[in-house]
Amino acid sequence: DLGVLISGNRLTVEARQTLNGILALRRQVNQSNESIKSLGLQVTESTSDQERVRRNLQSLNSVPGQQERVQKYAAELANLDGRIVSLRDQIAAETKKRDDLNRQLSQRIDAAKF
């Protein structure tokens, strides 16, 4: 809706610039939301992979002579743990960024005068 309003001829140059700034911030908020969603899906996938690896570890622990494979799965599990921690850190950082953008957006909307 803002795009249509901006492209019209009824706005002053100042109003058009104000709306363009608001629209740019809104796009950044949307991109941030998409990043958070994508990172969340990666956490879900990694968590699912962890469960699979844990099941494999449990089944191999009862089979003699499988220590090499057990170690391989244990290393994979450790890598997945590290990945999940990293993804959660990224989600926290992106959430903070999105919250800051939302604050900026609210301030810019509140300050807008037409």
Side-chain angles (χ1 to χ4, degrees):
D1 293 338
L2 284 178
V4 171
L5 184 60
I6 292 169
S7 66
N9 293 329
R10 295 182 175 178
L11 295 176
T12 65
V13 172
E14 184 180 285
R16 187 172 286 120
Q17 289 173 341
T18 299
L19 288 176
N20 274 327
I22 290 170
L23 186 59
L25 279 171
R26 187 65 201 146
R27 285 183 183 135
Q28 289 176 335
V29 168
N30 288 341
Q31 288 172 346
S32 192
N33 282 331
E34 288 299 316
S35 292
I36 292 167
K37 181 179 176 183
S38 174
L39 291 166
L41 288 173
Q42 290 177 52
V43 168
T44 301
E45 290 171 4
S46 293
T47 302
S48 176
D49 287 345
Q50 271 187 325
E51 292 304 315
R52 177 187 52 79
V53 170
R54 282 190 178 105
R55 284 191 305 271
N56 288 342
L57 275 170
Q58 287 176 346
S59 67
L60 287 176
N61 276 331
S62 61
V63 178
Q66 296 296 320
Q67 290 305 320
E68 185 178 318
R69 289 184 73 186
V70 167
Q71 290 176 356
K72 176 185 164 225
Y73 282 126
E76 186 177 344
L77 191 58
N79 287 337
L80 286 167
D81 283 339
R83 176 166 168 72
I84 289 171
V85 167
S86 174
L87 288 168
R88 288 183 177 154
D89 289 346
Q90 290 176 48
I91 289 170
E94 193 66 36
T95 299
K96 182 184 180 320
K97 176 184 168 185
R98 185 211 43 213
D99 293 346
D100 290 343
L101 287 168
N102 272 323
R103 266 190 294 283
Q104 291 175 33
L105 180 61
S106 292
Q107 290 170 351
R108 193 161 296 179
I109 290 170
D110 290 344
K113 296 179 183 175
F114 300 98

